[in-house]
Amino acid sequence: MKLTEGIVVKAIKYKDNDKIISVITENGKESIILKSATNLKGHTFSYSHELTKIGYDTQKGYLKAGKVINSYPNIHTHFEKMQSSLKVIEIADVLNEHINDFNTFYHFLDDILSLIDKDDHNLIYELAFRLKTLYLLGIAPIFNHCVECGRKDHLQNFSLYSGGMKCQDCLTNDDFIIDSRIIYDARLLYLLKLPDLVTKINYFQDLNYQEMNRFLNMYYDYYLGFTSKVENVLKKLSNL
């Protein structure tokens, strides 16, 4: 039997002992009911957790057969890796309806989670995911030319409201300007392919995560109305 491959991005309790999991696959997002998933000794328990890559088959919406392909073990035992990964899968769960190429998105999601699991640069990979996913969401920032006139020279600043760079002639006082140092690193993270990012990861060791995170939060909010609930929860926990 050929099983469908997917990554669990959400799991919620259903009825007394069951769970409903949301799985991202090459073809989209699917919801599956797992019987007795809250039972530690149940055969569905290992499939019922977020941040698990599984192979599965269903029948009438219920899990019929399954296996764990990757549990991303280091993510589940490392708090900072877990933080980054939860922000990644939240985007996959909440914004998947905007994705225009699920085949690419699924493999990209798996690659990013695998890198976070194996590597210690989870913050950089989290930012890279959030930046590169903007393309698949159809709201890619324009870094290489002026969003108003198209010219590639004399680019002055990045305008949040316009979604890209503006040249010195098109920039106005009404533009919400992002710090050029943040945009320089954002552009590099956005354009570098993952294998190249891995080899050049040390270049980003001085990257200002807080400011880059702030920029991405504003961008997602402005263009998609998306605010991370995961980040809000983590902020509250850090203040306890």
Side-chain angles (χ1 to χ4, degrees):
M1 178 192 304
K2 184 177 181 180
L3 301 178
T4 301
E5 185 179 292
I7 296 171
V8 181
V9 294
K10 190 173 184 179
I12 59 174
K13 189 175 180 181
Y14 176 66
K15 295 184 177 179
D16 292 332
N17 300 307
D18 304 343
K19 280 189 177 182
I20 298 176
I21 59 172
S22 297
V23 184
I24 296 294
T25 74
E26 292 180 339
N27 299 311
K29 186 172 86 166
E30 183 175 2
S31 294
I32 308 168
I33 301 174
L34 276 58
K35 299 289 288 184
S36 302
T38 60
N39 185 347
L40 289 172
K41 297 181 179 179
H43 73 282
T44 60
F45 181 79
S46 60
Y47 317 133
S48 67
H49 305 287
E50 296 168 350
L51 292 166
T52 306
K53 183 179 178 181
I54 63 174
Y56 67 91
D57 187 30
T58 61
Q59 185 175 35
K60 296 182 179 180
Y62 286 83
L63 184 74
K64 180 181 177 182
K67 67 175 182 178
V68 173
I69 298 174
N70 190 351
S71 63
Y72 309 111
N74 295 316
I75 290 177
H76 290 276
T77 57
H78 191 289
F79 183 64
E80 290 185 356
K81 288 176 182 281
M82 177 63 80
Q83 286 182 303
S84 291
S85 301
L86 288 176
K87 292 174 72 172
V88 164
I89 64 170
E90 180 186 28
I91 289 173
D93 177 49
V94 177
L95 298 178
N96 67 87
E97 62 185 35
H98 300 283
I99 297 295
N100 53 38
D101 181 353
F102 258 103
N103 182 61
T104 298
F105 180 68
Y106 169 72
H107 292 288
F108 178 49
L109 175 63
D110 185 29
D111 288 343
I112 286 291
L113 292 178
S114 296
L115 285 170
I116 292 175
D117 183 56
K118 298 174 183 177
D119 203 323
D120 291 331
H121 299 93
N122 55 286
L123 294 179
I124 303 302
Y125 295 128
E126 172 207 320
L127 293 173
F129 174 84
R130 292 163 66 192
L131 274 162
K132 292 175 179 294
T133 297
L134 293 173
Y135 173 79
L136 296 172
L137 290 168
I139 53 169
I142 305 300
F143 292 115
N144 292 331
H145 60 81
C146 176
V147 293
E148 294 291 337
C149 67
R151 68 187 294 180
K152 296 183 179 181
D153 59 342
H154 300 292
L155 298 179
Q156 195 75 18
N157 289 100
F158 187 97
S159 169
L160 175 68
Y161 297 152
S162 298
M165 299 298 295
K166 280 193 172 185
C167 68
Q168 59 189 20
D169 297 327
C170 295
L171 202 64
T172 71
N173 292 331
D174 294 328
D175 287 307
F176 188 99
I177 300 304
I178 306 299
D179 190 300
S180 59
R181 292 169 298 180
I182 298 302
I183 296 306
Y184 180 84
D185 286 334
R187 179 180 181 275
L188 197 55
L189 276 174
Y190 178 79
L191 294 176
L192 276 176
K193 294 181 179 180
L194 274 186
D196 295 327
L197 175 58
V198 173
T199 60
K200 294 179 172 62
I201 197 71
N202 288 331
Y203 173 83
F204 296 98
Q205 59 184 342
D206 295 325
L207 180 147
N208 189 327
Y209 173 83
Q210 296 300 330
E211 286 302 309
M212 183 73 77
N213 182 56
R214 178 172 172 270
F215 162 61
L216 286 171
N217 285 344
M218 288 190 295
Y219 200 97
Y220 272 83
D221 183 31
Y222 186 74
Y223 289 98
L224 291 168
F226 172 78
T227 301
S228 173
K229 293 181 179 179
V230 168
E231 183 163 351
N232 289 336
V233 170
L234 292 173
K235 284 181 180 179
K236 290 179 181 178
L237 289 175
S238 65
N239 292 328
L240 291 178

